[in-house]
Amino acid sequence: MKATSASRYIVPLLVVMSLMFIWNLSRNINDVLIPHLKRACQLNNLQSSLVQSAFFGAYFLLALPVGQYIRRFGYRAGMVTGLLTAAVGALLFFPAAETRYYPLFLGALFVLAAGFTFLEVTATPYISVLGTPERASSRLSLAAAVGSLGATLGPYIGAVFLLHVQDVPESTLRTYSPGQLATFLDAEAQLVKGPYLTLAAVLTVLGVAILLIKLPSLAEGKALPVRLTRIFQYRHTVLGALGVVCYLGAEVGIVSFLIRYAKTQQLPGLTEQKAALFISLFMGLVLVGRLTGAWLLRRIYPPRLLTGCAIGALGLVAGSLFTTGYASVYCLSAVGLFTSVMYPILFTLSISGLGKYTKTGSSLLIMSIGVGAALVPPLMGFLVDRYSFRPAFLIPLLCYGYIIFYSLGGYANRLQRPLIPQNQ
């Protein structure tokens, strides 16, 4: 009887885990899309980094509306809506490639991320109920590992489809006539069609599968509505949200510029396509760190582990600033190992002791994901354009410095004086 009960969850579990794989893979293709669109649309570093702002801005703007939609229509509707919305975003890459109009690329990324916002909000609670409650943590850990696998493969797949085996130097482009240059750039823009139209097809098939497959109902007790502003009376939650901003901002900032930074080291034979492997290494180490972290968190006090990880990440970024060549690039790639467990620790510490405000605090943290990833890369891009890459990597250094501060005492739940009247 137990085996029969467990077996009926296998197909739904595989489908929902596939969602995590797809959105993590797609999200990390962005790191390769940035240098590709920089060339195809003739952008500077600040402009090209808006890829991350358009994508993660959707998380910030839509996290709360998506939550309300799911509460009204249910989790199945949320997943189907997310998949079909993301499919529309992927299809928009076709007209964007045809016109080589950068704002249209940004719009396509925003719509794609809007769909993924639905999936992120729905997938985790669904996985938690697809089986026995006592094994929920193991299922979520497995799902996170599947997502990390997608994140590791994303940059490699993006590099194969979007980057050349042999780079076309800027000096060569400057020798082209206006007509030759336009033909070359149009051909560059066309490269996005194959992977993103394929992605649209996969997302549509998954959406139909969710409609056809019987998924277990997810019953939740009705929670009293709580204003988001009420959460600001909890100092540790507000500081934790800023920690999430720093964590994801630093991570996305590093991988967004890793290919271009590696190219500045003038390493023999290192093309953009090969440099993308450093992003896969970064994400692969995130996967290793998450698997190791699940074991470490049972043995080490979480704030202490967070301190160690933040110091390790800060040390590696600092090491990249004081070294050159492969040593410098490998330092940045190795940061992934130390960032791997930051988010679950930050999240847990930030919502500790919130009681009825727990969901509100969670919403604030989800919004913070979008803020960090949307703001840090453009700030780094501005510094690269104005100065060079090394000053830009001071931003992740400051971010990890703040996380050290939070881990050493900022997480303490000292209730602030309420910022609004208690009767509201």
Side-chain angles (χ1 to χ4, degrees), residues 401-422:
Y402 174 82
I403 294 174
I404 292 173
F405 153 75
Y406 185 76
S407 68
L408 291 176
Y411 67 89
N413 185 358
R414 297 189 292 270
L415 182 63
Q416 281 186 319
R417 178 181 169 186
L419 301 181
I420 57 177
Q422 290 290 333

Side-chain angles (χ1 to χ4, degrees), residues 28-189:
N28 284 279
I29 289 179
N30 288 351
D31 305 321
V32 177
L33 190 64
I34 290 173
H36 174 72
L37 291 181
K38 182 178 185 294
R39 179 172 53 251
C41 298
Q42 297 290 277
L43 309 169
N44 60 30
N45 288 290
L46 171 58
Q47 291 168 332
S48 64
S49 67
L50 294 178
V51 163
Q52 303 290 24
S53 299
F55 191 89
F56 286 99
Y59 283 74
F60 171 71
L61 294 174
L62 299 177
L64 293 181
V66 165
Q68 294 172 350
Y69 177 93
I70 291 169
R71 280 192 291 273
R72 181 172 180 181
F73 298 104
Y75 282 81
R76 181 196 293 269
M79 283 188 277
V80 173
T81 301
L83 285 164
L84 297 183
T85 301
V88 171
L91 287 173
L92 286 175
F93 274 82
F94 185 91
E98 286 291 304
T99 59
R100 198 159 51 84
Y101 184 52
Y102 186 53
L104 190 51
F105 280 109
L106 296 180
L109 285 163
F110 183 88
V111 176
L112 183 66
F116 290 158
T117 304
F118 278 90
L119 301 183
E120 293 234 27
V121 174
T122 56
T124 299
Y126 238 104
I127 288 174
S128 68
V129 300
L130 288 175
T132 59
E134 58 269 19
R135 294 197 175 183
S137 295
S138 63
R139 290 194 299 274
L140 290 170
S141 297
L142 177 60
V146 170
S148 293
L149 178 61
T152 302
L153 293 176
Y156 173 77
I157 293 173
V160 169
F161 284 99
L162 302 178
L163 302 178
H164 298 285
V165 175
Q166 294 296 327
D167 292 340
V168 180
E170 288 294 325
S171 58
T172 300
L173 296 183
R174 286 193 289 269
T175 66
Y176 288 175
S177 68
Q180 289 174 320
L181 181 61
T183 300
F184 173 79
L185 296 178
D186 287 342
E188 287 290 285

Side-chain angles (χ1 to χ4, degrees), residues 323-348:
T323 56
T324 58
Y326 276 110
S328 182
V329 181
Y330 276 120
C331 277
L332 289 177
S333 300
V335 171
L337 182 64
F338 291 94
T339 66
S340 55
V341 296
M342 285 186 182
Y343 182 70
I345 298 176
L346 284 167
F347 194 95
T348 303

Side-chain angles (χ1 to χ4, degrees), residues 68-311:
Q68 294 172 350
Y69 177 93
I70 291 169
R71 280 192 291 273
R72 181 172 180 181
F73 298 104
Y75 282 81
R76 181 196 293 269
M79 283 188 277
V80 173
T81 301
L83 285 164
L84 297 183
T85 301
V88 171
L91 287 173
L92 286 175
F93 274 82
F94 185 91
E98 286 291 304
T99 59
R100 198 159 51 84
Y101 184 52
Y102 186 53
L104 190 51
F105 280 109
L106 296 180
L109 285 163
F110 183 88
V111 176
L112 183 66
F116 290 158
T117 304
F118 278 90
L119 301 183
E120 293 234 27
V121 174
T122 56
T124 299
Y126 238 104
I127 288 174
S128 68
V129 300
L130 288 175
T132 59
E134 58 269 19
R135 294 197 175 183
S137 295
S138 63
R139 290 194 299 274
L140 290 170
S141 297
L142 177 60
V146 170
S148 293
L149 178 61
T152 302
L153 293 176
Y156 173 77
I157 293 173
V160 169
F161 284 99
L162 302 178
L163 302 178
H164 298 285
V165 175
Q166 294 296 327
D167 292 340
V168 180
E170 288 294 325
S171 58
T172 300
L173 296 183
R174 286 193 289 269
T175 66
Y176 288 175
S177 68
Q180 289 174 320
L181 181 61
T183 300
F184 173 79
L185 296 178
D186 287 342
E188 287 290 285
Q190 298 295 313
L191 294 177
V192 305
K193 286 184 178 178
Y196 281 96
L197 291 179
T198 302
L199 176 62
V202 171
L203 293 168
T204 302
V205 169
L206 283 172
V208 173
I210 295 291
L211 280 174
L212 297 178
I213 293 173
K214 184 177 181 181
L215 295 176
S217 300
L218 181 61
E220 287 191 310
K222 290 186 177 181
L224 294 175
V226 177
R227 294 183 182 180
L228 181 62
T229 51
R230 294 301 299 272
I231 205 65
F232 291 105
Q233 64 184 301
Y234 292 92
R235 175 181 178 272
H236 73 293
T237 304
V238 175
L239 294 179
L242 184 55
V244 171
V245 169
C246 291
Y247 148 72
L248 203 69
E251 179 176 298
V252 174
I254 289 172
V255 295
S256 294
F257 290 94
L258 194 50
I259 292 175
R260 282 168 286 177
Y261 178 73
K263 288 291 293 177
T264 65
Q265 301 303 298
Q266 298 181 338
L267 299 167
L270 185 70
T271 63
E272 284 188 342
Q273 192 178 89
K274 292 179 180 177
L277 294 176
F278 287 111
I279 303 177
S280 288
L281 174 60
F282 185 105
M283 293 301 168
L285 289 173
V286 170
L287 172 57
V288 172
R290 283 178 177 168
L291 295 174
T292 307
W295 178 80
L296 290 174
L297 282 169
R298 294 198 297 267
R299 292 161 175 80
I300 301 176
Y301 185 49
R304 189 173 300 167
L305 181 59
L306 181 60
T307 301
C309 288
I311 290 174

